[in-house]
Amino acid sequence: MNLNLSDPLVLGAIGLALIVLTLIVLILTMSARLRDMAHGQAHLTGTLASLRDAQRSSETQTNAALTDSATRTAQALGDLQRRLVTIDAAQTKIEALSSDVLGLQDILSNKQTRGAFGEIQLHDIVAKALPPDAFTWQATLSNGRRADCLIHMPDPPGPLVIDAKFPLEPYEALVDAPGDPRAVTAFRAAIRTHIRAIAEKYILPGETADGACLFLPSEAIYAELHANHADTIRDAFAARVWIVSPTTTMATLNTLRAILKDHRMREQAGEIRKALAALHRDVELIVERAGKLETHFDQARRDVEGLTTAAERAGKRAQKLDNFDFGPEEPERPKLAPIIRRGYSGSRKT
């Protein structure tokens, strides 16, 4: 078929056909794009839903994490507050202890207050270990000397004196300069001075025990003395002065308490024997009086038997009178008195 391209109708038909074809292609293309857009929109919608779910889950986890973190933070703050309160209390105690230490330093820096400190410590130890009537505080001896503590021990050994001494300055000098011959000499000289003073003042023949105790209120001084100054300890033994610390004083007093207890038990045993002897005399008196009472009962029994015999005889006579029997009465046979009679005869002891 031959087309005449110069014919306007043919050209118009061809142009119309091209337009229609173009429109079809455009429509098909737009349909494909619309399907792609719908698919993409659906995918986008699913993605947005997933994102929303993930966001909700993330928000839930974040809230839980924040809540847990807040709880732990609150607990940590509470623990921190309690620790701060404990630290404040400890700080208060440290301040009080510091003031006490300063007060103790003030006490120990003065000889008179230091001596009073040693005496008070000795008094507390003795009061805890012995009964109140077993010791006398600040007892005055026949030579006019006043002992810190006098233990009332039986003879032997006799009353025992305990005197408190506190050579703090020589000990501190020895600690500050260990091995210094001058410090060592001064420390030993101070201890020996106390030993001689106690031996001369508080060991009185016939009045006190043949020994006395030197009380050191510091375990450190006692340990230093026994560890490095054996010759001073020997001098104390030779003077019959026994050096004791708070710990050894308690052990010594426990031994003395056992001795006092044994002595008092022996004294009480003598009193018990006296009481038993008096009780034996009372029992003998009771037995004697019981024998006399038995004799009275035996006499009363015989009297009752006599009354019974007289009553029987009166009854027989009444029966004869009732029967008008006035004949001579038969002589009554006398009853034999009991030959054996129980009794007790003892001497009354006064």
Side-chain angles (χ1 to χ4, degrees):
M1 181 178 177
N2 294 324
L3 296 176
N4 187 4
L5 298 176
S6 61
D7 188 358
L9 293 175
V10 172
L11 291 173
I14 292 171
L16 181 61
L18 290 173
I19 292 170
V20 170
L21 181 60
T22 302
L23 291 173
I24 291 171
V25 171
L26 289 174
I27 290 171
L28 292 175
T29 302
M30 290 180 66
S31 298
R33 289 182 177 177
L34 287 175
R35 286 195 299 270
D36 293 337
M37 289 178 65
H39 181 69
Q41 185 177 4
H43 181 68
L44 180 61
T45 302
T47 301
L48 291 175
S50 299
L51 288 175
R52 285 195 297 269
D53 293 339
Q55 184 178 4
R56 293 192 188 97
S57 177
S58 177
E59 290 177 353
T60 302
Q61 293 177 356
T62 302
N63 291 332
L66 290 175
T67 302
D68 183 62
S69 177
T71 302
R72 286 182 293 178
T73 302
Q75 291 177 353
L77 290 175
D79 294 338
L80 179 60
Q81 185 177 5
R82 286 190 292 271
R83 290 191 179 93
L84 289 175
V85 171
T86 305
I87 291 172
D88 291 339
Q91 181 68 25
T92 303
K93 292 181 179 179
I94 290 173
E95 292 176 356
L97 182 60
S98 177
S99 63
D100 292 340
V101 170
L102 293 176
L104 182 60
Q105 289 178 352
D106 294 337
I107 291 174
L108 297 180
S109 62
N110 185 277
K111 289 185 177 180
Q112 293 181 351
T113 56
R114 185 167 67 242
F117 173 77
E119 292 174 4
I120 292 173
Q121 188 175 5
L122 175 61
H123 184 273
D124 291 340
I125 295 174
V126 173
K128 291 178 181 178
L130 298 178
D133 59 345
F135 64 94
T136 301
W137 190 249
Q138 296 296 325
T140 302
L141 303 179
S142 61
N143 59 0
R145 301 295 183 176
R146 181 172 294 178
D148 289 339
C149 183
L150 182 66
I151 309 298
H152 302 304
M153 296 297 297
D155 192 14
L160 178 67
V161 173
I162 303 178
D163 196 67
K165 301 296 182 183
F166 203 164
L168 183 61
E169 287 88 354
Y171 174 72
E172 289 180 343
L174 182 64
V175 172
D176 294 336
D180 186 357
R182 291 178 297 178
V184 173
T185 302
F187 178 72
R188 293 178 178 176
I191 297 296
R192 288 187 175 117
T193 299
H194 293 317
I195 292 172
R196 286 194 300 269
I198 291 176
E200 293 172 359
K201 295 177 182 178
Y202 306 126
I203 300 178
L204 304 178
E207 182 178 355
T208 65
D210 59 353
C213 292
L214 189 159
F215 174 74
L216 292 176
S218 173
E219 295 287 350
I221 298 177
Y222 180 82
E224 170 66 24
L225 189 62
H226 280 75
N228 302 317
H229 307 278
D231 53 346
T232 306
I233 299 298
R234 286 193 294 270
D235 293 340
F237 284 164
R240 294 187 177 276
V241 175
W242 323 122
I243 301 176
V244 292
S245 67
T247 302
T248 56
T249 299
M250 181 61 71
T252 302
L253 292 176
N254 286 332
T255 303
L256 297 180
R257 181 176 61 185
I259 296 174
L260 287 172
K261 182 178 179 181
D262 182 69
H263 176 70
R264 293 184 178 183
M265 287 180 64
R266 288 198 300 269
E267 289 182 346
Q268 295 298 326
E271 296 297 328
I272 291 173
R273 285 194 295 270
K274 292 179 182 178
L276 288 175
L279 180 61
H280 184 264
R281 289 196 300 270
D282 293 338
V283 170
E284 288 180 344
L285 291 175
I286 292 173
V287 172
E288 181 180 354
R289 291 171 183 173
K292 291 180 179 180
L293 184 60
E294 185 178 6
T295 302
H296 294 317
F297 282 154
D298 189 44
Q299 182 63 40
R301 181 181 57 79
R302 289 197 300 271
D303 293 339
V304 170
E305 289 178 354
L307 290 174
T308 303
T309 303
E312 291 177 353
R313 190 167 54 248
K316 291 178 180 179
R317 288 178 179 176
Q319 186 178 4
K320 286 183 177 182
L321 290 174
D322 186 49
N323 295 330
F324 295 98
D325 185 4
F326 299 101
E329 296 181 359
E330 296 180 358
E332 182 179 359
R333 296 180 181 178
K335 294 183 178 180
L336 297 176
I339 299 175
I340 300 175
R341 178 173 60 86
R342 292 187 303 166
Y344 176 84
S345 60
S347 61
R348 180 176 180 180
K349 296 182 181 180
T350 59

